[in-house]
Amino acid sequence: AQKEEAAGTLWNLSANHDNVAAIAAAGGIEVLVSLARDGNEAQKERAAGALRNLADNDDNEAAVVAGGGIELFVAMARDGTEAQKENAAGTLANLAINDDNKVAIAAAGGIEVLVSLA
């Protein structure tokens, strides 16, 4: 329950752009990527929501990608719960602002997955 609540609180905090750099500086991106990958269903949903907000920043976007975020969120968009799919698709949308990430998302099978959600 503690991890779920922490991820949810980070999701809420990440909606404020002033908090985005502080979350990243505190190691939040790595923790949230780990929860999105290995947590329970609620932890995955909340971590993905926070990462969706955090990925709307160039530095954080790079950290999410470096942590394996593209493959993680393509898989979550394909296989997750409805809420996880929504947050994963939103995170991929923010990551896709970067041209290199566009290529990587396509290479990871993201186009087919996102078309299936549309």
Side-chain angles (χ1 to χ4, degrees):
Q2 160 184 325
K3 289 182 180 183
E4 183 178 321
E5 292 302 322
T9 302
L10 289 169
W11 185 3
N12 290 338
L13 290 169
S14 68
N16 179 315
H17 284 283
D18 294 338
N19 293 331
V20 168
I23 293 168
I29 291 174
E30 294 80 6
V31 169
L32 289 164
V33 168
S34 178
L35 272 178
R37 180 179 295 110
D38 301 319
N40 66 32
E41 298 304 322
Q43 291 167 356
K44 289 178 181 181
E45 175 186 337
R46 292 175 180 196
L51 288 163
R52 177 181 185 169
N53 291 340
L54 291 167
D56 192 21
N57 167 296
D58 291 343
D59 293 333
N60 293 345
E61 171 190 312
V64 171
V65 171
I70 289 176
E71 296 79 7
L72 168 65
F73 289 113
V74 168
M76 186 180 286
R78 182 184 59 239
D79 303 323
T81 65
E82 290 304 309
Q84 290 169 5
K85 289 177 180 180
E86 179 181 344
N87 286 330
T91 303
L92 289 169
N94 286 336
L95 295 176
I97 292 169
N98 175 291
D99 287 341
D100 291 336
N101 293 344
K102 289 175 184 164
V103 173
I105 290 167
I111 292 172
E112 295 83 358
V113 171
L114 292 165
V115 167
S116 75
L117 295 178

